[in-house]
Amino acid sequence: IAAPSARNNPKRPTLFIEVELSDSARDDAFLRTDEIRREVQRWLADNFRQLQVGQQVDTSSLTCSDAIRSFRIADHSRGSVDEVFHTLQENDLDIAVYCPFHGEDEEPPSTQEEDESPSPFTVMPLPHKSLSGMWESLIYSDDMPQCVLRVLTRMMKISKTPNLNPAVICWHNLVLLHGPPGSGKTTLAQALAQRLAIRLAHDFSATKLIEINSHALHSRFFGESSKLVGKMFEAISAISSDESLLTVVIIDEVETLAGSRENAARANECSDAIWSTNELLQGLDKLRRRRNVLFLCTSNFKDCMDAAFVDRCGIKQYVETPSVECAYEIFRSVVNELIKNDLVTFDPTGPEDDPDLCRIETADGETRPLPSDEELYLN
Ligand SMILES: Nc1ncnc2c1ncn2[C@@H]1O[C@H](COP(=O)(O)OP(=O)(O)O)[C@@H](O)[C@H]1O
Ligand SMILES: [Mg+2]
C-alpha cells in the first residue's frame, strides 16, 4: 500500500520513545504511567530540539529518573536506517511507558481436557521480563523486523479508528513469517509480540500473549483433533472478548495445522487433518473482525500449506537465513555476552587459532574468520 503523499497526509511523522520503569516503580506503575509520560513529553520539549533513533539520552534531570530503568529513542515512523536527526517540532512523539511483568505473573496454562495431554496453549501478560532483550538480539542484514513492526503498529492503530467501515478496510489480522529452520522466526514472533505490547501500551489497557502448541492439538483419537482446534478458538474468543485488551496469538510451525487439504486429499490421508485445517480457517474467520486480535504464525514450509490459509495472511514475510556477516555478528554478540558475565576469558598469550578449525561457515558455503580478540574486547 503506497503511503499518501505528504500534501494529502495531515498526519505528521512519529518518533517512538520507549520508557521502561524499574521494578521498584512497579507497585504504583499503573497509577503513574500517564504522569510519567506527560513529564517525559514536557522534559523532551524543554531540553531537546532534535533527536536521533538509538541516541543515548541522559535522563538524570527528570524528576522521575529513579523510576526509569531504560530510555530508548526506539524508532521513527518513516524508518530509522538513514540515522537522521528528527526535529521535535516537526514530529509527533509517541511515548510508551511500561513495566514488564515477571515470571510469577504468568497465568497457569489453561487445560482443556481432564487427561494428562499437554495443554494446547499458554497465556502470558505482556510486556514480559522473559522476552526482554530478544528484539535487540536479532540481527538481520536489513531492517525487516522494524518494517514489520511499523506496519503492524500502524494497522492495529488504524483498525481502532471508531467509524472505520470494517467491510471496506478489511485487513486480515494474520501474519505469516516463513523461511528455513533456524532463521529466527519463532524468536522474531515473540519479540514482535513484546514490542507491539510496548508500542500499543496506551492504545490498549493490557496485552495478553497466547502461544499455541500446534502439536498438542493432534489427538490420537479419530475426529478429536478438529474438536480441539475448535475449542482452542472458543478459548481465544473468550480471552479477547474485551476489546480494550490486545491479544497476540502465536501459532508456531503452523503447517502442522494448516497443511494443504488438496495434498492430503490427493495422498488419501485421513480426513482428520483436513477437518483440522477447516476448523482453523473457520476460527480465523470468526476472529477476523476483532480489532484487538493479531495472529503471528511461523512456518518452515510455506509451499505445503493450504492455499486458503496463505491467502488469508495479511502479511507474508520471508525470513532469510543469516548471511555470513550476520552470523559473524551473532557469534560476536554471543561471545561478548559470555565475556561480560565472566563465563569465558581469552588468553592473549595462548596458541594461535587454527584458521581451518575456527571460522564461521554459513549454509551457502560462505566463510569468514572468527572475530579477533581485539574486536571481542572492544565491544
Ligand atoms: N537473525 C538472527 N539473529 C540473532 N539470532 C538468531 C537469528 N536467527 C536465529 N537466531 C537464533 O537461533 C536460534 C533459533 O532461532 P529460532 O527462532 O528458533 O528459529 P526458527 O524458528 O526460524 O527455526 C535462537 O536462539 C535465535 O536467537
Ligand atoms: Mg521455530
Side-chain angles (χ1 to χ4, degrees):
I1 302 169
S5 72
R7 201 163 51 86
N8 297 336
N9 186 3
K11 282 219 102 177
R12 301 189 324 150
T14 308
L15 192 59
F16 294 98
I17 313 234
E18 296 178 359
V19 183
E20 181 180 335
L21 301 183
S22 56
D23 294 339
S24 55
R26 190 176 162 65
D27 293 339
D28 56 350
F30 293 111
L31 300 173
R32 293 190 61 204
T33 48
D34 273 341
E35 202 183 296
I36 292 176
R37 187 179 315 120
R38 277 195 297 273
E39 191 193 338
V40 168
Q41 175 111 33
R42 270 196 307 270
W43 177 79
L44 286 171
D46 292 346
N47 293 282
F48 296 87
R49 214 173 64 80
Q50 294 185 316
L51 284 170
Q52 188 186 31
V53 172
Q55 183 181 339
Q56 294 292 322
V57 174
D58 177 8
T59 55
S60 53
S61 62
L62 266 165
T63 334
C64 59
S65 71
D66 284 351
I68 294 176
R69 168 175 285 145
S70 77
F71 190 99
R72 299 174 65 227
I73 314 295
D75 201 4
H76 188 262
S77 57
R78 297 197 178 151
S80 54
V81 273
D82 46 0
E83 295 184 348
V84 292
F85 276 93
H86 302 286
T87 308
L88 294 198
Q89 276 195 341
E90 291 167 7
N91 287 270
D92 282 335
L93 293 184
D94 188 320
I95 303 167
V97 180
Y98 67 99
C99 190
F101 290 89
H102 286 272
E104 66 266 25
D105 300 311
E106 255 169 71
E107 287 170 20
S110 328
T111 34
Q112 304 207 331
E113 299 293 293
E114 278 77 44
D115 63 24
E116 329 74 77
S117 54
S119 167
F121 65 88
T122 55
V123 187
M124 180 162 98
L126 288 184
H128 200 275
K129 265 260 154 61
S130 63
L131 305 180
S132 292
M134 230 177 217
W135 179 256
E136 294 77 12
S137 78
L138 285 169
I139 297 166
Y140 290 97
S141 46
D142 54 17
D143 65 343
M144 175 273 288
Q146 290 77 5
C147 287
V148 175
L149 176 62
R150 262 176 237 136
V151 172
L152 292 180
T153 309
R154 190 94 181 102
M155 290 314 298
M156 294 311 286
K157 279 181 189 272
I158 286 176
S159 58
K160 283 202 85 189
T161 312
N163 296 324
L164 198 70
N165 182 351
V168 179
I169 304 294
C170 46
W171 180 66
H172 219 306
N173 53 356
L174 181 60
V175 178
L176 176 65
L177 304 171
H178 63 101
S183 54
K185 300 177 299 296
T186 306
T187 316
L188 179 59
Q190 292 171 330
L192 275 171
Q194 174 94 335
R195 287 259 83 75
L196 275 170
I198 295 168
R199 284 279 161 92
L200 299 169
H202 55 99
D203 294 281
F204 292 93
S205 61
T207 306
K208 294 251 174 225
L209 171 65
I210 302 177
E211 284 194 89
I212 292 170
N213 175 1
S214 316
H215 302 285
L217 290 167
H218 273 281
S219 169
R220 58 187 185 278
F221 301 112
F222 185 75
E224 272 302 301
S225 302
S226 58
K227 280 193 201 150
L228 287 177
V229 176
K231 278 189 184 171
M232 181 193 73
F233 272 99
E234 276 169 27
I236 297 173
S237 178
I239 292 171
S240 63
S241 59
D242 177 357
E243 288 232 338
S244 71
L245 194 84
L246 172 63
T247 308
V248 183
V249 185
I250 294 185
I251 313 181
D252 204 17
E253 305 192 357
V254 69
E255 64 272 3
T256 331
L257 289 176
S260 161
R261 287 169 296 180
E262 207 183 314
N263 288 351
R266 215 181 295 137
N268 265 340
E269 274 177 27
C270 78
S271 46
D272 213 19
I274 299 176
W275 291 341
S276 292
T277 307
N278 285 342
E279 202 65 50
L280 172 78
L281 295 177
Q282 279 175 24
L284 290 170
D285 286 345
K286 276 189 207 138
L287 294 174
R288 184 177 175 177
R289 295 273 166 95
R290 289 263 168 100
R291 294 179 293 184
N292 58 324
V293 181
L294 179 68
F295 287 90
L296 299 176
C297 307
T298 78
S299 177
N300 298 323
F301 308 101
K302 177 167 164 269
D303 295 342
C304 349
M305 274 194 305
D306 195 82
F309 172 82
V310 178
D311 185 54
R312 278 167 171 76
C313 296
I315 295 177
K316 299 179 258 285
Q317 178 63 53
Y318 181 70
V319 184
E320 62 180 12
T321 318
S323 64
V324 75
E325 272 74 28
C326 293
Y328 177 89
E329 282 305 321
I330 294 167
F331 180 83
R332 193 157 67 100
S333 64
V334 169
V335 178
N336 275 331
E337 187 66 18
L338 292 173
I339 294 177
K340 214 163 59 184
N341 290 287
D342 286 332
L343 291 166
V344 297
T345 46
F346 274 96
D347 176 6
T349 59
E352 281 287 297
D353 292 336
D354 178 346
D356 282 337
L357 285 176
C358 304
R359 60 166 196 255
I360 293 171
E361 191 170 334
T362 64
D364 308 333
E366 274 190 279
T367 60
R368 235 190 116 150
L370 292 182
S372 65
D373 292 5
E374 215 174 46
E375 252 191 306
L376 290 171
Y377 286 129
L378 283 175
N379 292 281

